[in-house]
Amino acid sequence: VNIGQQHPGAYRALLALSEEVANDAAATGLDPLLVELVRIRTSQINGCAFCLRMHTRDALKKGENPDRIAVLPAWAETGYFSEADRAALRLTEAVTRVSDGHVSDDEYAAAAAVLTPDQVSAVAWLTTVMNAFNRVAITSRYRVEG
């Protein structure tokens, strides 16, 4: 069952929320490439092929370095990412893996040491919305053809 088609009003509301969150992220000064990396990393953790393909393509169109996308699952082990990137990615992983023990004080502190409160909130919202889209796509069995 494609849950977005079954309940189009709910899906439209999710799309509207996504647009609002993207606008808020832009207003905080988050780099548009970082926004896409947050979406990609969330989708990697959740195993959402549909969203991975979409946001990888979006990131590449915006000028993202393919090497950064390639090493994204191991971002902490590379020198490809700025301090802001690292703070956002760490928070993204904590929010996505909330069932592993919630977002810790250390994770908030690490994000707050580099990002403004508005940026911390924007990253959390971007991640929250991406998690919702991943669940819609996975539950609805969105196909990814080669």
Side-chain angles (χ1 to χ4, degrees):
V1 172
N2 183 320
I3 65 174
Q5 289 176 352
Q6 288 302 121
H7 291 92
Y11 191 74
R12 282 192 302 274
L14 182 57
L15 289 170
L17 177 60
S18 179
E19 185 175 338
E20 179 71 21
V21 168
N23 290 339
D24 289 346
T28 72
L30 282 179
D31 184 332
L33 296 178
L34 177 55
V35 169
E36 292 303 329
L37 291 178
V38 165
R39 291 173 174 152
I40 293 167
R41 186 67 190 123
T42 303
S43 299
Q44 287 173 335
I45 293 167
N46 289 323
C48 184
F50 184 86
C51 294
L52 278 167
R53 180 182 62 181
M54 177 190 314
H55 292 290
T56 297
R57 287 176 176 175
D58 290 348
L60 291 169
K61 284 179 192 171
K62 292 177 182 178
E64 182 56 82
N65 179 337
D67 286 349
R68 284 180 17 125
I69 295 171
V71 300
L72 188 56
W75 63 266
E77 300 174 23
T78 76
Y80 280 101
F81 302 96
S82 71
E83 287 304 309
D85 295 339
R86 298 168 83 73
L89 291 168
R90 181 176 179 180
L91 182 59
T92 294
E93 290 182 356
V95 171
T96 300
R97 294 181 172 135
V98 72
S99 65
D100 290 349
H102 299 255
V103 181
S104 73
D105 290 343
D106 288 345
E107 287 151 340
Y108 273 121
V114 179
L115 304 172
T116 69
D118 281 345
Q119 290 173 329
V120 169
S121 179
V123 169
W125 273 110
L126 285 163
T127 305
T128 298
V129 170
M130 196 69 246
N131 273 285
F133 274 120
N134 290 166
R135 281 146 180 81
V136 169
I138 291 167
T139 301
S140 299
R141 306 285 198 274
Y142 286 10
R143 297 181 59 84
V144 178
E145 302 296 335

